[in-house]
Amino acid sequence: MIKYFRSSVFLLSTIPFIFITYKIFLNKLGPEPIKEITHHTGEWTLLFLIFTLAMSPLKQITNMNIWISVRRMLGLFAFFYASLHMLTYVGLDYRFDMNEISKDILTKRFIFVGFAAWLLLVPLALTSSKKMMSVLKQYWKKLHRLIYLIALLGVTHFIWLVKRDVTEPLIYLLIIILLLGFRIKFQKTS
Amino acid sequence: MKKFKYSEITPEKIYNKRRSFVKSLGFGLGSLSISSLSLINNAFANIEENKPTSFKDITTYNNYYEFGTGKSDPYLKSQNFKTKPWTIKIEGEIEKPLELSIEEILSSFPSEERILKLRCVEGWSMVIPWMGFSLSKLIKKVNLKPTAKFVEFETVYDPEQMIGQRRPILNWPYIEGLRIDEAMHPLTTVVTGLYQKELPKQNGAPLRIFIPWKYGFKSAKAIVKIKFVKRIPNTAWMNASPREYGFYSNVNPNVNHPRWSQATERPINGDIFAPRIKTLMFNGYGDDVEHLYSGMDLKKYF
Ligand code: HEM
């Protein structure tokens, strides 16, 4: 049962990637394809961060452990989409022009926090295996709480980059705050 | 496999090669000296980068918040917008305020083709074969009082038809403006069409302004009022965020927007591998317009 659940979640999680690839190859990204890829991958990074954060509340609500079995996988997908997102910017958009990129990171706060969020995801991805879990023991949990900070940096990045209409990033912010609230409340009661 | 040359399959390319450039050679630009406007057509368009953007991209990828903040919203949501009847009020610091119908304007000021580059503040650009005439021609018909120092353009306010105006994304109606000498510059164009057709609604029909050396948002669309004023107008984006958008908003690769680099831009063409190109001072129109700003600190007056 758990096995089927995990495989389905895995397959579902690849859909955005397949969809983006399909759009690239069939030229369906419109007049500004690079921006479109950046937008898709950015949005999916944030969504996967939220999915990851939602698993433990779902466990509490439904009293089912099954959610926890896909949590690390969802987190890795967040890292996967974040890396595609970052590489779109670094590779496709700026063609590895490290001069321009470092200038961007240092002068634009939205790039700075985005980059910080991606960097913080790296150690989490590297320590995501079962083996690392047993090596790190109680530190693993502490380390992986960084995911809340990463999600918050991700939304901040989004809020700072929109020109005028902040409705969408604020909805994401609200969801993350709710998830964070749930977590704090739950920790107190248990 | 036989490869077609791009020009053989893209109607606009054939179009620009065979017709407009040749045509513009013969017609010139009325009272203006052709050389001072070289960038409008011939010399400008001979560079690969300056080939006109496709009609499809020009008419489906727009920033026109009156119809929504998405790039395709203007195309999708403006089609029922009524542009007839349409009148434009000309008022403020002039001897005799007047009201002109769009038909009167179109018949009194013949439009010519002007291939001009649009640089959006967001870091993308298009080359657009507009139809239009110099605003200076219209200004010369009204007698300005010496107190007229600036001109203000006002976009129609009609939330019934413009669904974007139902939310306070910007301070409606959209106001833009220029200094009088900027407004009198021959490159400041009253736009009435593009690709030799009537101006599509999503591009600002029936009448808009276009100032090629300034970021796109300076070029107000669907204008109902042109007002000559004494003081610097409180323009829409400056009002929304004065730290990010200045009154002048000249294209300037040396002054970065706090969120976007202005050093480079991406020409709109749907090509995923097309490189960014360097943004030019005054969007490449420096020779024509830099005298307007001599002695000004453009970092301060951005
Ligand atoms: C956890 C990390 C990150 C998250 C959650 C994230 C999320 C997002 C989101 C939601 C968007 C907006 C998508 C839309 O408009 O629909 C976006 C746009 C963008 N992000 Fe990220 N991002 C992250 C990291 C990065 C990094 C590392 C970079 C580059 C170094 C970056 C560069 C950009 C750029 C250039 C845009 C487009 C801005 C524009 O519209 O002009 N992001 N990101």
Side-chain angles (χ1 to χ4, degrees):
Chain A
M1 175 63 195
I2 282 206
K3 213 171 139 193
Y4 287 121
F5 180 63
R6 294 192 50 164
S7 326
S8 325
V9 171
F10 181 88
L11 287 176
L12 285 174
S13 304
T14 57
I15 289 176
F17 176 70
I18 292 168
F19 190 62
I20 295 164
T21 319
Y22 155 85
K23 280 186 141 183
I24 291 175
F25 281 99
L26 287 169
N27 231 333
K28 291 202 179 300
L29 288 163
E32 231 189 337
I34 296 178
K35 197 161 206 169
E36 198 62 20
I37 299 172
T38 313
H39 284 186
H40 278 309
T41 50
E43 199 111 35
W44 282 106
T45 307
L46 202 48
L47 280 167
F48 274 95
L49 286 170
I50 288 172
F51 297 157
T52 314
L53 292 177
M55 290 307 115
S56 118
L58 276 175
K59 177 191 148 188
Q60 313 296 348
I61 292 165
T62 61
N63 241 326
M64 282 159 72
N65 262 324
I66 196 165
W67 304 107
I68 302 302
S69 74
V70 292
R71 191 168 57 180
R72 282 180 301 132
M73 179 164 76
L74 290 171
L76 278 172
F77 270 107
F79 178 65
F80 172 66
Y81 285 107
S83 303
L84 286 180
H85 181 65
M86 185 271 291
L87 283 171
T88 309
Y89 166 84
V90 171
L92 274 179
D93 203 355
Y94 280 92
R95 314 214 155 194
F96 304 99
D97 181 345
M98 290 308 160
N99 207 352
E100 277 295 316
I101 292 165
S102 49
K103 225 166 48 193
D104 242 22
I105 293 176
L106 294 176
T107 57
K108 299 206 191 70
R109 54 182 192 171
F110 94 87
I111 295 285
F112 185 87
V113 292
F115 201 72
W118 180 79
L119 273 183
L120 288 174
L121 273 172
V122 176
L124 302 203
L126 290 177
T127 59
S128 67
S129 65
K130 274 228 160 79
K131 196 162 154 234
M132 285 311 284
M133 262 175 120
S134 55
V135 171
L136 290 169
K137 301 208 180 77
Q138 75 266 39
Y139 297 112
W140 194 90
K141 261 202 153 145
K142 282 196 176 143
L143 179 64
H144 282 251
R145 266 183 214 145
L146 273 177
I147 191 97
Y148 287 95
L149 176 63
I150 292 166
L152 286 172
L153 289 173
V155 222
T156 311
H157 167 75
F158 197 2
I159 292 172
W160 279 346
L161 74 89
V162 297
K163 216 160 97 185
R164 193 74 195 138
D165 188 0
V166 287
T167 323
E168 211 190 324
L170 286 183
I171 292 170
Y172 282 113
L173 178 63
L174 190 70
I175 296 172
I176 292 169
I177 289 174
L178 284 176
L179 289 168
L180 192 60
F182 194 93
R183 153 118 217 172
I184 291 166
K185 182 165 174 279
F186 210 81
Q187 233 163 21
K188 278 197 186 137
T189 50
S190 65
Chain B
M1 199 183 81
K2 182 177 182 288
K3 275 217 170 122
F4 286 96
K5 268 203 239 119
Y6 206 35
S7 60
E8 288 171 45
I9 50 172
T10 318
E12 294 93 48
K13 302 275 153 147
I14 297 175
Y15 169 89
N16 76 51
K17 262 206 188 116
R18 309 245 167 94
R19 305 219 347 247
S20 62
F21 297 164
V22 180
K23 196 171 149 252
S24 64
L25 269 177
F27 284 76
L29 288 157
S31 56
L32 312 162
S33 80
I34 295 192
S35 67
S36 76
L37 287 175
S38 60
L39 277 170
I40 290 190
N41 288 346
N42 305 299
F44 180 68
N46 283 335
I47 305 165
E48 186 57 35
E49 268 168 14
N50 296 333
K51 291 277 180 252
T53 309
S54 73
F55 182 78
K56 181 162 179 268
D57 287 351
I58 294 174
T59 55
T60 55
Y61 194 81
N62 308 96
N63 274 328
Y64 193 172
Y65 281 15
E66 279 80 351
F67 291 109
T69 51
K71 292 284 187 289
S72 51
D73 285 344
Y75 166 68
L76 296 172
K77 295 175 183 163
S78 69
Q79 297 312 317
N80 295 324
F81 178 61
K82 283 202 205 64
T83 55
K84 279 180 191 123
W86 195 275
T87 50
I88 291 138
K89 288 198 176 98
I90 302 176
E91 57 179 53
E93 303 297 310
I94 55 178
E95 296 302 340
K96 214 169 78 201
L98 72 161
E99 214 174 295
L100 293 172
S101 71
I102 185 72
E103 290 79 14
E104 284 173 291
I105 291 186
L106 292 178
S107 61
S108 334
F109 305 97
S111 289
E112 68 210 355
E113 182 161 68
R114 298 184 161 201
I115 301 173
L116 297 168
K117 195 167 150 231
L118 163 74
R119 168 63 157 80
C120 177
V121 71
E122 296 166 355
W124 50 267
S125 61
M126 291 183 178
V127 176
I128 307 181
W130 297 116
M131 299 297 296
F133 57 88
S134 292
L135 175 65
S136 61
K137 290 193 182 163
L138 197 151
I139 296 181
K140 279 177 195 150
K141 297 265 166 172
V142 299
N143 292 320
L144 293 189
K145 290 184 183 163
T147 44
K149 298 285 187 256
F150 296 90
V151 58
E152 220 175 80
F153 307 103
E154 186 178 314
T155 298
V156 66
Y157 177 68
D158 187 354
E160 286 277 305
Q161 294 197 72
M162 295 178 138
I163 59 161
Q165 287 180 336
R166 294 178 200 167
R167 293 172 57 208
I169 299 286
L170 290 169
N171 212 351
W172 312 116
Y174 196 89
I175 302 282
E176 255 312 331
L178 296 170
R179 228 168 47 192
I180 288 295
D181 58 340
E182 296 176 320
M184 289 299 291
H185 192 284
L187 277 172
T188 299
T189 303
V190 176
V191 169
T192 58
L194 69 83
Y195 267 115
Q196 306 228 327
K197 295 187 202 102
E198 208 174 276
L199 191 61
K201 300 188 170 152
Q202 60 272 30
N203 296 90
L207 183 130
R208 67 173 293 172
I209 199 82
F210 187 73
I211 308 116
W213 71 94
K214 292 177 181 278
Y215 293 120
F217 67 85
K218 290 296 292 178
S219 298
K221 306 183 182 81
I223 291 172
V224 287
K225 196 195 280 179
I226 298 176
K227 188 174 177 184
F228 295 90
V229 294
K230 294 177 189 165
R231 266 184 270 280
I232 195 161
N234 189 4
T235 57
W237 281 99
M238 196 170 65
N239 186 288
S241 180
R243 205 175 55 84
E244 294 177 57
Y245 310 97
F247 174 75
Y248 287 94
S249 288
N250 293 316
V251 175
N252 187 343
N254 309 316
V255 176
N256 277 339
H257 183 279
R259 287 180 280 170
W260 305 282
S261 161
Q262 297 298 26
T264 58
E265 68 204 39
R266 180 176 303 294
I268 295 287
N269 53 18
D271 180 356
I272 191 166
F273 296 114
R276 284 176 172 272
I277 57 173
K278 283 214 169 346
T279 290
L280 301 175
M281 188 67 202
F282 297 116
N283 203 19
Y285 298 94
D287 289 348
D288 300 280
V289 302
E290 64 193 356
H291 67 271
L292 296 172
Y293 310 100
S294 56
M296 270 174 76
D297 178 0
L298 294 176
K299 285 214 158 79
K300 186 166 168 225
Y301 298 100
F302 61 88

